[in-house]
Amino acid sequence: MIEFSARLQALPGYPLAEIPSIKRRLIESGMDVIDLGAGDNDTPPPAAAVEAMRDALADPAYSKYGFQQGLPAFRSAAARWVERRFGLRFDPASETLPLIGSKEGLSHLPLAVVNPGDVTIVPEPGYQAYLGGSLLAGAEPYVVPLRPENGFLLDLERIPEAILRRARLAYVNYPNNPTAAVATQEYLERTVALCRRYDILLAYDNAYCDLTFDGYRAPSIFEIPGARDIALEFFSLSKSFSMTGWRLGFAVGRAELVGALTRVKSYVDTGPFLAVQKAGAAALDRAEELVEPVRLELERRRDGAVAALRQAGFTLEAPKAAMYLWVALPPGVPSAAFAKRALEETGALVLPGSAFGPAGEGFFRIALTVGADRLRAAAERLGRTLETVRRSELATTA
Ligand SMILES: Cc1ncc(COP(=O)(O)O)c(C=O)c1O
């Protein structure tokens, strides 16, 4: 008998794990499924990235190991983009690091700073790689519920002093998945100050920084004075450039912190495929022109979906960023039962809030990954499910 580690057993089921098989079964049975589950946009990757990739595939040099250094041109493009986007300068060679998607860096980071029994601070609902990476490193995650009355902000100041003293790492993600909340400057200043006071590494996950609406601009954590001492920031090409499957992201921060993550990675992977890095550099160099249509389309989808959901009986605000709607359910309606019913009875695939941890209960998440017409159709189907559960025992027995 092979016995599995306590760490493995501590991992909760990954939220998206069973969905593909349920979806396949429904499609095979003839159901028209509208998949609003994963944050995987339907827009194609940029032609500039595809062309660069094609060129790279024809050149055997790009088929070699990239190692952690990766493609210097990618690091330079990343540093140039950070400078254009946020007005901040980082040394490409020592202060940027290519990642096999930002998930990879975020989940490996605890191995660089956590000893068994140390605390990591993890938001809930939240991106599950923070929790998984913490558990796999033997850390004790301290889960902080994100509440609507608090603007879904992870308030470090409410964490007991004894925990803060044991904390080595805090994950903070705005624009946020799944709530689509954004952070104020004042919040970021308080967060940086607290991490400095307790020597907590701040992993600032900025995967959605370019997907912003209504004129809102998402800042870099490094715009906050003093952040360089304690923060690493994570960026992704997945969402802005619709390159989810290419697996490319990067970390930015001062050399010592980037170096620690580099050291961990040098033992577990050999960096992103060099051809993908070449494509990523081509995308980053034209980010302004390439991201704008994606952003505009998401804004249109958000507007259409918010209006349709309100009409269907849901109460929600229009978010200022990210690619999600975080929709409240009536009190007493369990999100998993609602999502299952919506999928099996109407073909509308959304993620229950509980998939992002127990504190996500009472909500479901819609990814704006299909066109406005399909989003409207999904909203109407979800409205039907809402009516059914309102009338059924689900609401009364929960
Ligand atoms: C908040 C957040 N961070 C990071 C990621 C990971 O993105 P990547 O594809 O770069 O690994 C995601 C993906 O959904 C996300 O929602």
Side-chain angles (χ1 to χ4, degrees):
M1 264 273 278
I2 303 296
E3 268 192 35
F4 296 112
S5 66
R7 286 179 189 145
L8 188 82
Q9 290 173 50
L11 292 174
Y14 198 77
L16 298 175
E18 299 106 57
I19 289 187
S21 62
I22 302 179
K23 181 180 165 187
R24 193 170 343 102
R25 175 168 56 76
L26 289 174
I27 291 173
E28 276 165 15
S29 74
M31 175 88 84
D32 169 38
V33 174
I34 306 179
D35 188 346
L36 310 176
D40 204 346
N41 215 340
D42 65 347
T43 46
V50 175
E51 261 168 50
M53 177 74 161
R54 200 177 288 130
D55 291 348
L57 289 176
D59 180 345
Y62 288 91
S63 282
K64 299 294 182 195
Y65 283 127
F67 297 111
Q68 297 310 323
Q69 176 181 277
L71 191 72
F74 175 69
R75 287 178 180 246
S76 300
R80 275 197 301 276
W81 174 80
V82 169
E83 185 167 3
R84 292 200 311 280
R85 175 69 177 75
F86 303 109
L88 299 161
R89 296 186 90 150
F90 287 88
D91 173 46
S94 63
E95 296 184 317
T96 71
L97 177 64
L99 300 171
I100 309 170
S102 59
K103 180 180 190 178
E104 176 266 300
L106 288 159
S107 59
H108 279 140
L109 186 61
L111 293 169
V113 287
V114 156
N115 290 311
D118 285 344
V119 166
T120 59
I121 296 170
V122 170
E124 186 181 288
Y127 188 52
Q128 292 291 285
Y130 314 144
L131 183 72
S134 299
L135 291 169
L136 290 171
E140 266 180 39
Y142 183 83
V143 171
V144 182
L146 305 186
R147 303 266 183 232
E149 57 274 19
N150 202 18
F152 297 109
L153 292 176
L154 194 171
D155 194 349
L156 293 173
E157 284 164 343
R158 290 195 184 179
I159 296 175
E161 166 101 27
I163 299 288
L164 290 172
R165 285 189 191 286
R166 290 173 54 213
R168 305 299 312 277
L169 172 64
Y171 286 104
V172 177
N173 161 229
Y174 297 100
N176 183 257
N177 173 20
T179 67
V182 298
T184 59
Q185 171 91 3
E186 182 267 339
Y187 165 80
L188 294 177
E189 283 168 6
R190 281 192 287 124
T191 302
V192 166
L194 189 134
C195 288
R196 286 171 60 91
R197 194 172 332 135
Y198 290 92
D199 295 321
I200 298 171
L201 175 59
L202 174 57
Y204 196 74
D205 179 357
N206 217 342
Y208 297 95
C209 65
D210 274 342
L211 305 180
T212 58
F213 317 130
D214 306 332
Y216 171 73
R217 175 191 165 278
S220 159
I221 195 66
F222 295 117
E223 290 175 40
I224 308 299
R228 285 195 194 223
D229 291 341
I230 44 81
L232 272 177
E233 186 155 22
F234 292 81
F235 295 103
S236 171
L237 279 82
S238 292
K239 315 292 176 172
S240 305
F241 300 104
S242 305
M243 290 170 71
T244 50
W246 298 51
R247 310 311 303 130
L248 190 61
F250 58 96
V252 175
R254 70 183 167 88
E256 192 190 6
L257 300 178
V258 165
L261 182 57
T262 308
R263 192 149 176 218
V264 170
K265 280 172 55 59
S266 59
Y267 283 86
V268 290
D269 67 65
T270 315
F273 182 18
L274 290 173
V276 167
Q277 294 190 50
K278 181 170 183 185
L284 284 171
D285 277 341
R286 293 171 60 183
E288 291 76 2
E289 112 202 40
L290 296 175
V291 178
E292 185 58 7
V294 175
R295 195 195 64 72
L296 271 175
E297 173 60 16
L298 279 173
E299 197 166 44
R300 268 194 296 273
R301 289 177 181 186
R302 176 205 63 165
D303 291 341
V306 167
L309 283 161
R310 284 179 182 156
Q311 206 175 356
F314 296 95
T315 309
L316 75 161
E317 283 177 33
K320 290 227 170 323
M323 55 197 297
Y324 306 110
L325 302 179
W326 186 240
V327 188
L329 284 164
V333 176
S335 60
F338 175 83
K340 188 160 184 277
R341 204 156 185 164
L343 177 57
E344 290 181 339
E345 293 176 11
T346 76
L349 196 169
V350 297
L351 293 186
S354 58
F356 298 91
E361 192 47 272
F363 291 83
F364 65 92
R365 191 192 81 174
I366 287 185
L368 301 169
T369 48
V370 300
D373 287 352
R374 294 289 277 167
L375 282 167
R376 268 191 292 275
E380 185 271 321
R381 295 181 195 188
L382 291 163
R384 265 191 276 140
T385 307
L386 181 66
E387 270 310 298
T388 318
V389 297
R390 265 197 177 131
R391 281 199 223 104
S392 79
E393 74 288 349
L394 260 179
T396 48
T397 57

